[in-house]
Amino acid sequence: AQQSATVANPASGASPDLLPHFQLEPEDVYIVKNKAVSLACRATPATQIYFKCNGEWVHQGDHVTQHSTDRSTGLPVMEVHIEVTRQQVEKIFGLEEYWCQCVAWSSSGTTKSQKAFVRIAYLRKNFEQEPTAREVSIEQGIVLPCRPPEGIPPAEVEWLRNEELVDPALDANVYVTPEHSLVLRQARLADTANYTCVAKNIVARRRSSSAAIIVYVNGGWSTWTQWSGCSTSCGRGWQKRSRTCTNPTPLNGGAFCEGQNVQKTACTTLCPVDGAWSEWSKWSECGAECTHWRSRECSEPAPRNGGRDCHGPELDTRNCTSELCTHAAPGAEDVALYVGLVAVAVCLVLLLLVGVLVYCRKKGGLDADVADSSILTAGFQPVSIKPSKADNPSLLTIQPDLSTTTMTYQGSLCPRQDGPAKLQLPNGHLLSPLGAGRHTLHHSSPAAEGADFVARLSTQSYFRSLPRGTNNMAYGTFNFLGGRLMIPNTGISLLIPPDAIPRGKIYEVYLTLHKQEEVRLPLAGCQTLLSPIVSCGPPGVLLTRPAILAMGHCVEASAENWSIRLKKQSCEGTWEDVLQLGAEPCTELYYCQLEAQACYVFTEQLGRFALVGESLSMAASKRLKLVLFAPAACPSLEYNIRVYCLSDTQDVLKEVIQLEKQLGGQLIGAPRVLHFKDSYHNLRLSIHDMPSSLWKSKLLASYQEIPFYHIWSGLQPFLHCTFTLERLSTSTCELACKIWVWQVEGDGQSFTVNFNIAKDTRFSDWLVPDNEVATPALVGPSAFKIPFLIRQKIISSLDPPGTRGADWRTLAQKLNLDSHLSFFASKPSPTAMILNLWEAQHFPNGNLSQLAAAVAEVGKQDGALFAVSEAEC
């Protein structure tokens, strides 16, 4: 009624001919938290102005009204304000939006303003979509999606790179899409960073999780270098060229270059030919000076390729008319000269005869030593590897004498092509003469001389990385009879076959197991170390037949899953691929026989070797040895279980056992084998099923993890996790639990531990006793199971092609070695290679009866093939 009266009785001064119009209309506003908002409107000419919100008039007392006059028109102006609270809006929240509008009156009627909406502002916490970490190749496009949290008013989005604002206006390589995604047109190395999406409105500011973008660079090969010079100065040799993975260099985890970094090819260098004289020509006619002459030429052959010229005169003259020309008779001094020459010639002939007799006597004495040795008369009986007794000096089962300077190798530590290796033979007692012209090898304790031997090796630069001790080292002095070096409890040995060392030469040979932290072996891409790193040497010694290096490995080999290479460290310290298993060898210097748990490397050049594999698929797997250790004594309430994850080779297990002995640990479960695959999954370990009334675990998470790359590289040998348990009483000694180790769910190993921590020693048999020491060096026939004369008989019988196939090929087939026929055939004595490999595989516990049966099978095709008389044995 009051509003109607206001319309019917307008205020004085109002123009009766104008409808009110709004100079200021209410606008949309947002309520932030609990703060009320103000709405305003202004109209002229107006006698009354009221707000209506959601169809209901706002109480007159809630209006704040101001009156004024428009100076230009003189018309009355009215301005009205109201406040809207959060509670007013929430009363209708969910039904419809809260809105308000002004209604102005004049004498001519009413006018309504636009609606102004009042909304409660908010911004939720969680993003609808956050950016995710990615690894991208350089110059590849990147799209980082971001859908901000729901909010009123809608959130604005900005991007941070390492906490700095990304401004597309300053970087043409960057733009933000209408959907708020950040786009990098071409990834650059500088774009490697942490990216964060930030959403904000008038209420709050939200940050997404940071997404790490890594821009990687795949490696590329440089151009090949020029071919090196030929490795030999005369005859057939090798030359090589190389390239590096530096064009570009792999960065940020980019792939290493595929293919070989070294190429080798055969080369031939023309040998120098020394000149030689032709036959003398016929004598010329007798000249006026009573002489005639004859000549010869340096042409059979003529010197070439740097060879030496002929020595001596090419022209010879003499008197030809003794009857017509006057000559003085020879004097007495000429007669004395002729007599002296004859006497010298007679002495030389006598010295030559004496030298021949001495050589034959020495050779006969040495042969007699071998023939008289009991090892050679045993036929195919097993050979004991115990050291010989002091009362039997003729038997060659001895340790090398390192206490005196014997025949020491003094040549270059690296192979040289400019001359033969030099050996120096001081007056030592290594080959002291005995009665009846027989010889023996003296020996002393190797442990007492270990430091002296290592000290001598350390004087050469190549050996400065060798261990300063003898725990992982074996060494001995060898001659043409050959022998064997072994590092106890590691599966590592070096077999030096008979006649591998040239007759007349004696070498001090060593065999060393390296710790991975001592030798830097660079690995690239998916490569992994599959074997221990082993050195044998000294490098550069002359071997006429391949030695065989045996060592364990941890690969489950298959051609479709693995590419396996034998690496050798050069004298310069770089590692080179010398052999790819399964491929045609580029040189006859190396060959490798890979078996289930060991490999046998044939090499004519000693050095530092390692077996490295590169996985070709995610099915490639390595064997891990899982070993559980715990303290042997536990005086406190805490009890630690250490789970080692080792490469499945004997040398690593030996090192861990020695380490645990120092820590006072004991084995609490039989070791298990786990196949660890190239699937990029980490190894997980967890402990379960402990009686909660007796024990509790201090592990906060449900499992522990060992990162994939720590295991796959093979360069960290003693990886382990520790489970710390606490018993509720010191009287609790029984421990029962389960330990799970797995890489992929459903495929792993479990240990059921049921153990008395105070007195249980069930698994002590797995540990190698400290006093168990094998003979590290065996010299001569004692190093071989096959007696020497029997071996020679087999070789001489099977090397020539036999009738009806009774030759070395049949023996290789009987011994399941027929896959290596091409390698055996490339050697002067294929049968010797087969027997050497058998010796390396089966020493010391090989079954001679099985070998004898295989030889007998071959012999059936030729009945008289292996008839050996008692005299020969």
Side-chain angles (χ1 to χ4, degrees):
Q2 183 183 0
Q3 291 173 357
S4 299
T6 303
V7 174
N9 301 288
S12 61
S15 174
D17 300 327
L18 296 175
L19 288 172
H21 71 275
F22 287 94
Q23 294 178 340
L24 175 65
E25 296 186 80
E27 295 181 349
D28 295 345
V29 290
Y30 297 93
I31 296 177
V32 178
K33 298 182 179 178
N34 294 319
K35 186 177 180 181
V37 295
S38 177
L39 297 178
C41 63
R42 185 172 60 246
T44 183
T47 58
Q48 296 290 338
I49 300 178
Y50 290 100
F51 273 93
K52 180 185 286 187
C53 295
N54 285 78
E56 296 183 1
W57 293 104
V58 178
H59 194 274
Q60 183 178 358
D62 294 335
H63 291 74
V64 177
T65 305
Q66 297 176 357
H67 295 274
S68 62
T69 302
D70 192 334
R71 294 180 181 181
S72 59
T73 62
L75 296 176
V77 177
M78 182 177 288
E79 184 172 343
V80 178
H81 296 263
I82 66 169
E83 285 191 349
V84 179
T85 64
R86 184 185 186 99
Q87 289 77 9
Q88 292 175 270
V89 177
E90 288 178 341
K91 285 181 180 179
I92 64 168
F93 182 75
L95 301 177
E96 58 177 327
E97 288 192 288
Y98 191 93
W99 57 268
C100 296
Q101 72 177 159
C102 282
V103 182
W105 284 267
S106 71
S107 58
S108 302
T110 61
T111 303
K112 295 180 180 180
S113 70
Q114 66 181 8
K115 289 183 178 181
F117 291 90
V118 181
R119 299 180 177 92
I120 298 176
Y122 66 92
L123 183 63
R124 300 196 185 279
K125 292 184 178 181
N126 296 326
F127 281 73
E128 296 184 6
Q129 184 178 9
E130 293 186 293
T132 55
R134 293 183 58 188
E135 294 183 359
V136 297
S137 176
I138 194 168
E139 298 183 353
Q140 181 181 341
I142 307 175
V143 178
L144 292 176
C146 177
R147 293 171 59 189
E150 178 187 352
I152 294 179
E156 297 177 356
V157 172
E158 62 184 18
W159 285 88
L160 301 180
R161 176 195 289 136
N162 288 342
E163 303 304 320
E164 294 184 0
L165 183 64
V166 177
D167 189 354
L170 301 179
D171 190 349
N173 192 46
V174 177
Y175 71 93
V176 179
T177 66
E179 294 79 21
H180 310 300
S181 297
L182 180 66
V183 178
L184 305 179
R185 291 183 173 89
Q186 287 187 326
R188 304 160 298 190
L189 287 177
D191 293 326
T192 298
N194 292 321
Y195 288 83
T196 308
C197 180
V198 178
K200 62 182 179 178
N201 64 6
I202 60 176
V203 179
R205 187 173 186 265
R206 310 290 188 201
R207 291 168 56 98
S208 70
S209 300
S210 295
I213 299 299
I214 298 177
V215 181
Y216 62 84
V217 179
N218 291 325
W221 289 115
S222 64
T223 57
W224 288 103
T225 61
Q226 297 294 324
W227 287 103
S228 66
C230 200
S231 61
T232 180
S233 59
C234 175
R236 190 173 184 272
W238 300 95
Q239 59 183 160
K240 65 180 181 179
R241 62 177 183 175
S242 62
R243 57 182 179 176
T244 57
C245 189
T246 56
N247 186 30
T249 302
L251 292 175
N252 295 338
F256 198 78
C257 305
E258 295 184 357
Q260 294 184 343
N261 63 337
V262 176
Q263 282 186 345
K264 292 186 178 181
T265 184
C267 59
T268 302
T269 304
L270 296 177
C271 297
V273 178
D274 295 337
W277 291 112
S278 64
E279 295 292 332
W280 287 103
S281 65
K282 293 183 179 180
W283 289 102
S284 65
E285 297 292 335
C286 193
E289 297 180 356
C290 301
T291 59
H292 61 173
W293 55 271
R294 62 179 179 176
S295 64
R296 57 182 177 176
E297 295 180 351
C298 188
S299 59
E300 292 186 4
R304 61 180 183 271
N305 304 330
R308 292 176 294 185
D309 289 332
C310 301
H311 180 70
E314 60 180 348
L315 189 67
D316 181 24
T317 62
R318 71 178 180 178
N319 189 290
C320 60
T321 57
S322 57
E323 296 178 357
L324 301 179
C325 298
T326 304
H327 296 281
E333 58 274 9
D334 293 337
V335 174
L337 174 63
Y338 296 148
V339 172
L341 291 175
V342 171
V344 169
V346 171
C347 291
L348 290 176
V349 171
L350 291 176
L351 287 174
L352 180 61
L353 290 175
V354 170
V356 171
L357 290 175
V358 170
Y359 173 78
C360 293
R361 179 179 292 270
K362 287 185 177 182
K363 186 175 186 303
L366 183 60
D367 290 342
D369 237 2
V370 175
D372 290 346
S373 174
S374 61
I375 193 76
L376 301 181
T377 61
F380 273 101
Q381 299 302 317
V383 178
S384 172
I385 63 171
K386 296 181 180 179
S388 61
K389 298 181 180 179
D391 58 355
N392 189 11
S394 65
L395 194 60
L396 299 182
T397 56
I398 48 84
Q399 295 289 336
D401 181 9
L402 302 178
S403 61
T404 61
T405 304
T406 61
M407 189 172 190
T408 305
Y409 177 76
Q410 300 289 343
S412 169
L413 295 177
C414 301
R416 292 176 58 91
Q417 305 298 337
D418 54 356
K422 297 180 180 179
L423 291 171
Q424 183 179 354
L425 183 59
N427 293 326
H429 62 275
L430 182 64
L431 293 177
S432 304
L434 298 178
R438 307 176 75 178
H439 296 79
T440 186
L441 297 178
H442 297 265
H443 66 89
S444 63
S445 171
E449 308 301 334
D452 179 62
F453 182 79
V454 174
R456 292 207 305 275
L457 292 181
S458 301
T459 61
Q460 304 290 350
S461 61
Y462 183 88
F463 301 104
R464 288 171 187 165
S465 63
L466 289 181
R468 299 300 187 263
T470 57
N471 289 336
N472 291 327
M473 189 176 188
Y475 44 86
T477 306
F478 301 93
N479 60 5
F480 72 94
L481 292 175
R484 188 187 305 263
L485 290 175
M486 294 173 291
I487 302 178
N489 306 319
T490 63
I492 299 172
S493 65
L494 178 68
L495 178 73
I496 305 173
D499 290 322
I501 297 176
R503 291 178 181 256
K505 295 184 182 295
I506 300 176
Y507 295 155
E508 284 184 347
V509 182
Y510 68 87
L511 179 66
T512 301
L513 167 64
H514 294 276
K515 296 182 179 179
Q516 282 91 337
E517 60 267 23
E518 296 173 349
V519 179
R520 178 171 175 81
L521 175 62
L523 300 177
C526 300
Q527 290 184 340
T528 175
L529 182 63
L530 301 176
S531 73
I533 301 175
V534 179
S535 290
C536 54
V541 298
L542 175 64
L543 295 180
T544 57
R545 297 184 181 179
I548 301 179
L549 175 64
M551 55 186 178
H553 67 79
C554 60
V555 63
E556 289 295 303
S558 60
E560 64 273 11
N561 295 333
W562 284 99
S563 172
I564 302 175
R565 290 177 169 85
L566 178 68
K567 285 184 175 287
K568 180 176 182 288
Q569 190 175 30
S570 67
C571 300
E572 294 79 15
T574 59
W575 288 87
E576 298 178 348
D577 295 341
V578 296
L579 181 66
Q580 180 174 356
L581 274 64
E584 189 69 23
C586 60
T587 173
E588 296 180 358
L589 296 177
Y590 309 98
Y591 189 78
C592 184
Q593 156 76 359
L594 188 69
E595 297 188 351
Q597 294 186 331
C599 64
Y600 301 90
V601 178
F602 292 77
T603 175
E604 296 181 18
Q605 293 184 354
L606 303 183
R608 186 170 295 165
F609 296 93
L611 204 64
V612 172
E614 182 174 2
S615 64
L616 303 179
S617 71
M618 296 179 67
S621 65
K622 296 172 56 175
R623 294 190 312 275
L624 295 185
K625 181 81 76 175
L626 306 177
V627 192
L628 271 62
F629 280 94
C634 182
S636 65
L637 294 177
E638 282 194 356
Y639 191 72
N640 295 323
I641 298 179
R642 292 180 289 275
V643 184
Y644 286 87
C645 305
L646 315 172
S647 296
D648 186 19
T649 56
Q650 294 183 41
D651 59 290
V652 180
L653 183 59
K654 172 188 173 183
E655 292 287 338
V656 169
I657 291 174
Q658 292 176 347
L659 174 64
E660 281 293 333
K661 285 184 178 180
Q662 296 174 4
L663 296 176
Q666 64 174 339
L667 194 67
I668 63 171
R672 302 285 182 86
V673 174
L674 175 72
H675 292 87
F676 189 76
K677 295 184 178 180
D678 185 17
S679 62
Y680 297 98
H681 291 295
N682 298 338
L683 191 68
R684 296 181 174 181
L685 305 93
S686 61
I687 188 167
H688 308 276
D689 300 344
M690 281 188 305
S692 58
S693 59
L694 300 176
W695 296 86
K696 68 177 181 178
S697 171
K698 289 192 172 183
L699 183 65
L700 299 179
S702 59
Y703 57 83
Q704 300 189 64
E705 277 191 323
I706 300 178
F708 169 81
Y709 286 105
H710 290 184
I711 298 176
W712 189 254
S713 68
L715 298 178
Q716 301 187 37
F718 306 142
L719 289 171
H720 69 278
C721 281
T722 300
F723 292 99
T724 301
L725 311 179
E726 184 177 3
R727 49 182 174 170
L728 303 182
S729 170
T730 54
S731 62
T732 301
C733 293
E734 294 294 332
L735 173 62
C737 63
K738 283 189 176 181
I739 295 178
W740 280 93
V741 184
W742 76 99
Q743 185 187 19
V744 180
E745 205 66 49
D747 183 12
Q749 286 283 11
S750 67
F751 292 86
T752 300
V753 178
N754 195 346
F755 198 74
N756 187 302
I757 66 176
K759 58 184 179 181
D760 204 332
T761 58
R762 281 177 293 163
F763 302 101
S764 58
D765 293 341
W766 288 87
L767 305 181
V768 179
D770 290 332
N771 57 1
E772 182 177 331
V773 179
T775 305
L778 297 173
V779 183
S782 64
F784 306 96
K785 293 188 68 66
I786 307 173
F788 184 78
L789 291 182
I790 299 296
R791 170 190 169 91
Q792 295 302 107
K793 181 72 174 180
I794 297 174
I795 292 173
S796 61
S797 300
L798 296 186
D799 271 351
T803 59
R804 295 171 298 193
D807 58 16
W808 62 271
R809 293 175 179 82
T810 306
L811 179 61
Q813 183 179 6
K814 298 292 183 183
L815 298 179
N816 298 319
L817 300 176
D818 48 338
S819 59
H820 312 296
L821 293 182
S822 59
F823 170 72
F824 296 147
S826 67
K827 299 302 177 183
S829 175
T831 310
M833 293 298 103
I834 296 173
L835 297 181
N836 293 343
L837 179 56
W838 188 91
E839 290 276 8
Q841 291 173 322
H842 297 89
F843 191 87
N845 301 318
N847 191 335
L848 273 176
S849 300
Q850 293 180 355
L851 177 63
V855 173
E857 286 292 324
V858 180
K860 286 181 180 179
Q861 304 178 46
D862 189 344
L865 187 60
F866 298 111
V868 181
S869 65
E870 293 183 1
E872 289 179 304
C873 292

